[in-house]
Amino acid sequence: MWIFRKKNNLKFVPYTDMKEISEAVSKIICQTVKNNRRSILGFSAGVTIKELYNQLSADVKKQKINFTDVITFNTDEYIDIDKRYKKYSKTNFMRDHLFSRINIKIENTNFPTLDNWKTYDKEIQKKGGIDLLILTAGSDGYIAFNEPGTKLSSMTHFGELENDTRTHLMEYFDEKINVPYRVITMGIKSILKARKIIVIAVGSAKAAPVSKLFEYKYSTLWPVTSLIFHNDVTLFADIDACRLMQK
């Protein structure tokens, strides 16, 4: 079943490549923290936005932005990842590429785990809710690790990765057989509670979800389309990711 929405809530900013996107999004994150030193930020982890975190850490240092009172909540984490491959966890990714390079308190950084997943959403709201959430669009339309078929009403939950998603992730693991099957992820309803959302889409593999998003109709087969129900979403996409958009 399709659910339509008026075309009035999605903003679209096209760029040439990830370098330009990183510079623009980093500027927004920095300004958010400048405006409110107690900002609550939501982050995603992945190779797609590694360049963003490189840019952000450089900007924070250059502009001497104070992150000591900032609190972060990441969208997802792997379960059952082999101990030899802990370096591929989302937690380690964020610490290596961002948190260890800026003046943030590690105790203010949060990830969904086996111990806290039931209370993760309550903890976010207890802190005041996410001011700015950074997402990437998956090639099959997933956001965070909400695969096709995830309910619109879902909160933080256990998920199982589709074969297509695992295939995409294989290039980031030294041994393909060790790509995890299970994850913990913010649900779609969790995501929609953020006050402002930025979605990053880079490469031709992201063209289909970008195109679906701007059809302004929701389907559980394309979780990214749930963003049409949010009032402040901006897509930052490169040329390749925009190739299927209707002119």
Side-chain angles (χ1 to χ4, degrees), residues 104-213:
I104 194 170
K105 296 176 181 177
I106 291 300
E107 59 266 30
N108 285 346
T109 63
N110 299 274
F111 298 82
T113 68
L114 290 171
D115 294 326
N116 72 5
W117 70 274
K118 289 183 179 180
T119 59
Y120 200 60
D121 296 293
K122 291 181 179 178
E123 185 62 25
I124 293 173
Q125 296 309 309
K126 182 179 178 181
K127 296 297 184 182
I130 293 173
D131 296 305
L132 174 63
L133 175 59
I134 310 298
L135 298 174
T136 58
S139 56
D140 66 352
Y142 66 83
I143 49 175
F145 271 140
N146 292 286
E147 294 278 26
T150 304
K151 292 181 179 180
L152 191 63
S153 60
S154 60
M155 303 297 281
T156 299
H157 62 280
F158 288 96
E160 188 166 311
L161 299 182
E162 300 279 353
N163 288 333
D164 287 348
T165 302
R166 293 186 70 251
T167 298
H168 172 70
L169 293 171
M170 281 180 181
E171 61 182 293
Y172 308 126
F173 285 74
D174 290 337
E175 295 184 28
K176 294 178 173 53
I177 59 172
N178 288 285
V179 178
Y181 283 93
R182 297 198 304 153
V183 295
I184 302 176
T185 180
M186 284 185 190
I188 294 175
K189 188 174 181 179
S190 309
I191 288 169
L192 295 179
K193 285 180 177 289
R195 281 182 275 279
K196 180 180 179 65
I197 297 174
I198 286 176
V199 185
I200 296 173
V202 177
S204 58
K206 308 301 176 67
V210 166
S211 177
K212 290 293 181 182
L213 176 61

Side-chain angles (χ1 to χ4, degrees), residues 67-132:
F67 266 69
T68 56
D69 292 323
V70 170
I71 296 175
T72 68
F73 289 90
N74 261 67
T75 57
D76 49 69
E77 183 55 284
Y78 297 116
I79 305 174
D80 301 334
I81 191 168
D82 190 296
K83 290 182 179 179
R84 294 173 297 169
Y85 297 93
K86 285 292 185 181
K87 62 181 179 180
Y88 296 109
S89 72
K90 300 303 183 80
T91 304
N92 282 347
F93 179 95
M94 293 301 301
R95 289 179 179 173
D96 289 345
H97 295 287
L98 182 61
F99 297 152
S100 66
R101 302 166 67 183
I102 62 176
N103 57 344
I104 194 170
K105 296 176 181 177
I106 291 300
E107 59 266 30
N108 285 346
T109 63
N110 299 274
F111 298 82
T113 68
L114 290 171
D115 294 326
N116 72 5
W117 70 274
K118 289 183 179 180
T119 59
Y120 200 60
D121 296 293
K122 291 181 179 178
E123 185 62 25
I124 293 173
Q125 296 309 309
K126 182 179 178 181
K127 296 297 184 182
I130 293 173
D131 296 305
L132 174 63

